[in-house]
């Protein structure tokens, strides 16, 4: 009886809103996809936001490191 928060809010018009590999240069076989999800039982989703990862500075300011290849998910619920 789990419900997917994204589908509850947005229906299936964008069921593949990507949470993984967004903006990354990868092998073309690996397209961005929606791997990360929020599942609910007994709650209703009010809002869900995809927070795409950025880069952080490493030892030298010219060195940029991606801190993740997954987007964060922020969701607001009500009972």
């Amino acid at each position: 009886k789990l419900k997917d928060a994204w589908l509850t809010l947005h229906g299936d018009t964008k069921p593949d809103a990507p949470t993984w590999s967004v903006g990354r240069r990868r092998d073309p076989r690996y397209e961005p996809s929606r791997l990360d999800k929020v599942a609910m039982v007994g709650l209703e989703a009010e809002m869900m936001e995809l927070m795409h990862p950025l880069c952080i500075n490493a030892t030298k300011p010219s060195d940029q490191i991606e801190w993740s290849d997954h987007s964060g998910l922020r969701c607001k619920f009500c009972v």
Side-chain angles (χ1 to χ4, degrees):
K1 297 185 180 184
L2 293 173
K3 292 194 304 186
D4 182 328
W6 181 265
L7 292 179
T8 297
L9 290 168
H10 302 285
D12 61 1
T13 57
K14 291 185 179 179
D16 295 322
T19 64
W20 175 76
S21 193
V22 176
R24 293 177 57 94
R25 292 185 186 137
R26 291 187 170 264
D27 185 317
R29 294 175 294 170
Y30 303 112
E31 293 293 322
S33 61
R34 192 170 74 98
L35 295 180
D36 307 277
K37 299 177 183 180
V38 175
M40 308 174 298
V41 174
L43 297 172
E44 291 297 323
E46 289 186 358
M47 176 276 299
M48 186 170 186
E49 177 184 8
L50 299 175
M51 300 165 26
H52 299 303
L54 301 174
C55 291
I56 58 174
N57 289 329
T59 308
K60 296 182 277 185
S62 61
D63 295 337
Q64 296 276 309
I65 298 173
E66 293 175 324
W67 57 268
S68 180
D69 61 354
H70 289 259
S71 298
L73 302 174
R74 183 167 65 173
C75 198
K76 183 177 179 182
F77 301 99
C78 64
V79 180

